[in-house]
Amino acid sequence: MLSLGLTGGIAAGKSLLSARFRDLGALVIDADQLAREVVAPDSPGLRAVVEHFGAGMLLADGALNRPALGAMVFSDKAQLAALNAITHPLVREAATALKSSAGPGTIVVQDIPLLVETGQGPAFHLVVVAQAPLESRLRRMMTDRGMSYEDAMARIGAQASDEQRMSAADVVIVNDGTREDALGAVDALWFDRLVPFAVNLAAGIAATASPDASTVHAAAASVPLEEGARDRLLARLHVAVGASAEIVPSCSAHGPVFVIEAARGTSRGSLLAALAAAGYFPLPQGGGSTLLASADPGQHATIELAAAPL
């Protein structure tokens, strides 16, 4: 399955994009919905919240007093961190359970408002960020949600900055025009990149697969990754292989983007399986190393799995 992380600042239009992904056929896992479910009345999550923040967080019917909790945490970063420490593990556990039901060709979109803040980007094949100018977001929050300017700015200030989200993004959809503009951008991403990516993942093939691996290698290496993309790819590879290999970035104009050298005791098969899960599959090549390329048609990068140590 193709695993996509979707995020964006408050009032940037993330919910609009999420709904479109669902209409197109994605399995959408909404972290906000799960966050509400894990603090439902009589749940372990709600009991933990009350234990930390006090009985004032409960309404008369036993439900969470969301306005009171919001007023407390969005003006105090330490309290917000405490709330996240309670709810985030529960939300991730619930999301993992839903994700496990997806078939091999499914596109799974996890809608996570704090994806960047919690460092989850490298766990996804791609990260999509909804972006909008600050003025537009403030107007939406004050007009559509009835928030004061001070409350709106506090909510924005409690989240990652636009620059931090941009650095984590593989795809940015700017929602500063019409609704149709934003939906059209989602449709183009879906049909031009995500569907082929999902098909390649299910089939276990690289998007750049070719009978002539040397030609593929040279073509991919001739398109250098910009710095942010290199950083994101390196982070994903580290998540994929863990401590079982060393990853060496290469800056050669004619060499692979990254060389992965297995640690002693690590089997080649286990590394290939880990890289396949991350979306990288072998290209035909002789010799003692294996050349891999991404199943993502939008990514021009190659990886060399070096010969196992003697």
Side-chain angles (χ1 to χ4, degrees), residues 197-287:
F197 193 172
V199 169
N200 292 338
L201 277 174
I205 59 173
T208 52
S210 164
D212 184 351
S214 63
T215 300
V216 173
H217 189 188
S222 69
V223 184
L225 289 175
E226 50 94 4
E227 184 177 352
R230 288 174 61 88
D231 291 344
R232 291 190 296 274
L233 175 53
L234 182 58
R236 287 191 175 104
L237 292 175
H238 277 301
V239 168
V241 304
S244 61
E246 181 181 2
I247 304 170
V248 182
S250 169
C251 298
S252 169
H254 303 290
V257 176
F258 294 97
V259 176
I260 297 181
E261 300 176 348
R264 290 187 182 276
T266 299
S267 73
R268 193 176 186 79
S270 66
L271 281 182
L272 284 170
L275 291 167
Y280 291 88
F281 300 99
L283 296 169
Q285 185 194 31

Side-chain angles (χ1 to χ4, degrees), residues 4-285:
L4 186 77
L6 173 64
T7 193
I10 184 171
K14 178 176 59 62
S15 297
L16 175 66
L17 307 190
S18 179
R20 187 60 156 199
F21 279 125
R22 182 180 285 107
D23 290 342
L24 289 168
L27 169 60
V28 176
I29 300 174
D30 187 336
D32 274 347
Q33 177 61 36
L34 295 180
R36 290 188 287 272
E37 293 175 2
V38 300
V39 290
D42 297 322
S43 66
L46 182 56
R47 288 194 290 272
V49 168
V50 172
E51 181 178 351
H52 180 85
F53 293 98
M57 296 301 106
L58 284 178
L59 296 173
D61 61 359
L64 177 63
N65 187 337
R66 295 184 183 279
L69 182 61
M72 179 178 293
V73 302
F74 287 112
S75 60
D76 186 329
K77 290 188 175 181
Q79 293 286 46
L80 179 60
L83 176 63
N84 291 340
I86 294 170
T87 59
H88 285 180
L90 298 172
V91 170
R92 291 182 189 179
E93 181 181 352
T96 299
L98 290 172
K99 194 173 179 179
S100 66
S101 67
T106 306
I107 298 175
V108 179
V109 176
Q110 289 187 236
D111 181 339
I112 306 175
L114 300 181
L115 182 149
V116 174
E117 292 85 341
T118 53
Q120 297 182 65
F124 296 95
H125 291 113
L126 288 174
V127 171
V128 176
V129 169
Q131 195 76 287
L134 175 62
E135 295 77 10
S136 298
R137 296 169 62 194
L138 285 171
R139 184 179 64 254
R140 293 167 188 166
M141 295 168 75
M142 296 168 66
T143 302
D144 301 340
R145 308 187 187 192
M147 298 175 66
S148 69
Y149 174 83
E150 292 75 18
D151 286 344
M153 287 300 297
R155 294 293 181 98
I156 290 172
Q159 296 184 336
S161 67
D162 287 347
E163 292 74 18
Q164 289 170 320
R165 277 188 290 267
M166 290 287 283
S167 68
D170 299 289
V171 178
V172 177
I173 295 179
V174 180
N175 180 29
D176 63 351
T178 67
R179 175 187 177 92
E180 289 69 28
D181 290 338
L183 297 181
V186 174
D187 290 356
L189 173 64
W190 179 268
F191 291 108
D192 295 344
R193 186 171 183 181
L194 300 185
V195 170
F197 193 172
V199 169
N200 292 338
L201 277 174
I205 59 173
T208 52
S210 164
D212 184 351
S214 63
T215 300
V216 173
H217 189 188
S222 69
V223 184
L225 289 175
E226 50 94 4
E227 184 177 352
R230 288 174 61 88
D231 291 344
R232 291 190 296 274
L233 175 53
L234 182 58
R236 287 191 175 104
L237 292 175
H238 277 301
V239 168
V241 304
S244 61
E246 181 181 2
I247 304 170
V248 182
S250 169
C251 298
S252 169
H254 303 290
V257 176
F258 294 97
V259 176
I260 297 181
E261 300 176 348
R264 290 187 182 276
T266 299
S267 73
R268 193 176 186 79
S270 66
L271 281 182
L272 284 170
L275 291 167
Y280 291 88
F281 300 99
L283 296 169
Q285 185 194 31

